[in-house]
Amino acid sequence: MANISLSVIIPSKNNKYHVSDIIKRIAAELPEEEVEFIVIDMNSSDDSVIWALEEIKNNNLRGCVIQSGGGSISSALNTGIYKSDGKYITFVYPSRMYKDYLAEYLRTAEKTAAEFVFAVPSQTSGTASDSDFFRKKDNGCIDPAELMTELIYSRVFFDFTAVMLKREYLLRHHIKFYEDCHYGYVEAFIYNVLLHHPQTACADIRLERHTEGAAVKDTGTENVNCYERIDAMLKVYDALKLQRRENLKLLELFEYQKLPSVVIGVVDLLKKQGFSSQAIQKSLKQKGYSRLLQVSRCTTPALRKKVLRCRFLPWLYR
C-alpha cells in the first residue's frame, strides 16, 4: 500500500453534493500527494453518500464512506481517526470549508516536523505581544503551553476545525473527542492535543472561507446542549491537573480565567435565548456550576466584573 500523506475526515449528514465538491477541491489542490477521503455518514436521508462514492470512484481516488449511525458527531470523528491510515489527519466540515490551505499545512509540517499545524489567526487582540508571540523561533515552532495561555486569555484566535495533526501523535497519547459532548467538543479536543505538548507550528497562510454552495449548519439545539461545553472544559481541567500538574500558573489560569469565562459564555447564550436571570441562576446552582464563578489575580478585569455581577447582582447582569 502506498504511503498516505493525508487523511481527510469529513462528517456529513444530508449535505447533498457538498461532500463530493469538497473531495473534488482537495484532490485538485493536492495532485502530487497521496490523500484518502473518509466520509463519516451520520444517517443521511438524501443522496449525499452516493454523490461522495461516485466522486471517489470516478476519479480513482482513495477513500470510503462509513456509516456511523445516529451517534454524536464526536463519535463520528473518532471513527474517522481510527479508520484513517494517513501520516497526517485533518477534519473538513461541509458547513465550514476553506480555500487551498492544506498544501501549505503539509509543507509547514514537513519543514518543522510538526505534530500539530494551524493557520495564522484571523483575529488578534491588536496588542504588541501578539506579533511577538507569532514571531517564529529558529525551528519555526510555537510552545504549546504559551499557545494555551494565549487561547485561555482569548488573545489569539484560530479556527479549531481547520487544523492538521499527526495521526501517530493522537494514537500514542490516546487523544479523542468526547463522545458525550455535542457543544464545545472541538475546543476540548484542541486543548487535550496541546496538553501533551506536541511539536506545534503555525502555517504562514490566512484562511479564506468557501462561501459558494456552503451547507447550512443546524444550530437550533445550542441552548439545550450549551452546558456540555462546561462539562467538556471540566474534563480538560482534570486532564490538565494530571498532565501538567507542575505548571501551577497554567492550572491557575484555567481555574480562574478559562472555567469562569466558559460559564459566563453559557450565561450569555442562555440570556440571548430568552431565559430569565432567575432561571439561569437556579440551573447553575443545581448543576454545581456556580462554584466555577471564582476569580483571582490572573482573572482579567472585564471577566472579573462579569463574574461578580453574575454572582451577586444577577438581575442587573446584561
Side-chain angles (χ1 to χ4, degrees):
M1 180 181 292
N3 291 329
I4 300 173
S5 300
L6 181 65
S7 296
V8 180
I9 300 171
I10 309 170
S12 174
K13 182 174 182 179
N14 296 331
N15 283 300
K16 299 181 181 179
Y17 54 83
H18 297 296
V19 174
S20 60
D21 282 350
I22 288 171
I23 295 172
K24 185 185 303 181
R25 288 168 181 163
I26 294 176
E29 180 188 354
L30 303 171
E32 305 300 323
E33 301 288 349
E34 189 69 30
V35 180
E36 71 170 354
F37 298 92
I38 301 177
V39 180
I40 310 296
D41 182 66
M42 304 172 64
N43 273 356
S44 294
S45 58
D46 62 7
D47 294 331
S48 54
V49 171
I50 297 175
W51 281 81
L53 286 172
E54 287 185 349
E55 187 65 36
I56 292 171
K57 180 180 178 181
N58 294 340
N59 292 282
N60 295 317
L61 301 174
R62 186 186 300 274
C64 63
V65 175
I66 300 173
Q67 300 288 346
S68 70
S72 67
I73 188 170
S74 300
S75 176
L77 294 171
N78 286 335
T79 298
I81 292 173
Y82 295 126
K83 293 292 184 180
S84 64
D85 289 309
K87 181 178 180 181
Y88 291 95
I89 290 173
T90 193
F91 311 99
V92 177
Y93 290 67
S95 61
R96 200 172 183 85
M97 179 65 185
Y98 292 97
K99 298 179 181 179
D100 301 335
Y101 65 101
L102 291 174
E104 184 60 36
Y105 274 27
L106 287 171
R107 282 191 290 269
T108 300
E110 185 67 25
K111 180 180 178 180
T112 62
E115 295 164 314
F116 175 51
V117 179
F118 63 98
V120 172
S122 57
Q123 302 179 56
T124 66
S125 64
T127 63
S129 61
D130 289 325
S131 59
D132 292 339
F133 177 74
F134 285 106
R135 187 179 296 126
K136 296 180 179 179
K137 301 178 182 179
D138 292 339
N139 62 358
C141 291
I142 294 169
D143 186 311
E146 292 180 11
L147 179 56
M148 281 189 67
T149 297
E150 298 299 298
L151 289 173
I152 288 171
Y153 274 128
S154 299
R155 290 196 290 246
V156 299
F157 304 83
F158 63 88
D159 193 328
F160 291 159
T161 66
V163 300
M164 191 177 76
L165 301 127
K166 198 168 187 178
R167 176 175 173 270
E168 189 273 335
Y169 173 81
L170 295 178
L171 298 181
R172 182 171 75 249
H173 294 291
H174 308 286
I175 300 169
K176 62 180 183 177
F177 293 90
Y178 295 141
E179 297 195 358
D180 57 349
C181 180
H182 297 79
Y183 185 53
Y185 62 94
V186 180
E187 179 186 19
F189 177 79
I190 295 300
Y191 274 110
N192 279 323
V193 167
L194 293 172
L195 282 181
H196 293 275
H197 214 76
Q199 185 86 342
T200 303
C202 184
D204 189 15
I205 186 173
R206 295 279 177 172
L207 294 178
E208 182 181 355
R209 284 285 296 274
H210 249 304
T211 56
E212 182 180 353
V216 176
K217 182 180 179 181
D218 178 17
T219 57
T221 59
E222 273 193 351
N223 64 312
V224 176
N225 299 320
C226 63
Y227 283 125
E228 293 181 2
R229 185 183 177 214
I230 302 176
D231 293 331
M233 288 301 106
L234 284 172
K235 290 180 181 179
V236 172
Y237 182 52
D238 288 340
L240 176 63
K241 288 186 286 187
L242 289 175
Q243 299 294 331
R244 291 285 176 265
R245 55 181 174 271
E246 78 289 348
N247 194 330
L248 299 181
K249 180 180 178 181
L250 195 57
L251 286 169
E252 184 182 10
L253 282 178
F254 212 92
E255 183 174 3
Y256 295 106
Q257 177 66 31
K258 182 60 181 177
L259 291 177
S261 71
V262 170
V263 176
I264 290 297
V266 169
V267 170
D268 289 342
L269 179 58
L270 291 174
K271 292 284 287 185
K272 184 179 179 181
Q273 294 292 337
F275 288 88
S276 68
S277 296
Q278 184 179 8
I280 294 172
Q281 291 297 318
K282 182 178 180 181
S283 180
L284 289 177
K285 185 175 181 180
Q286 287 177 339
K287 294 177 180 295
Y289 299 141
S290 296
R291 63 182 175 83
L292 303 178
L293 291 172
Q294 303 292 330
V295 298
S296 77
R297 59 185 179 182
C298 70
T299 309
T300 62
L303 178 60
R304 179 190 297 270
K305 182 178 179 180
K306 283 192 169 186
V307 167
L308 295 179
R309 180 167 293 181
C310 185
R311 285 180 59 188
F312 300 114
L313 298 168
W315 56 90
L316 295 178
Y317 184 84
R318 297 289 186 272

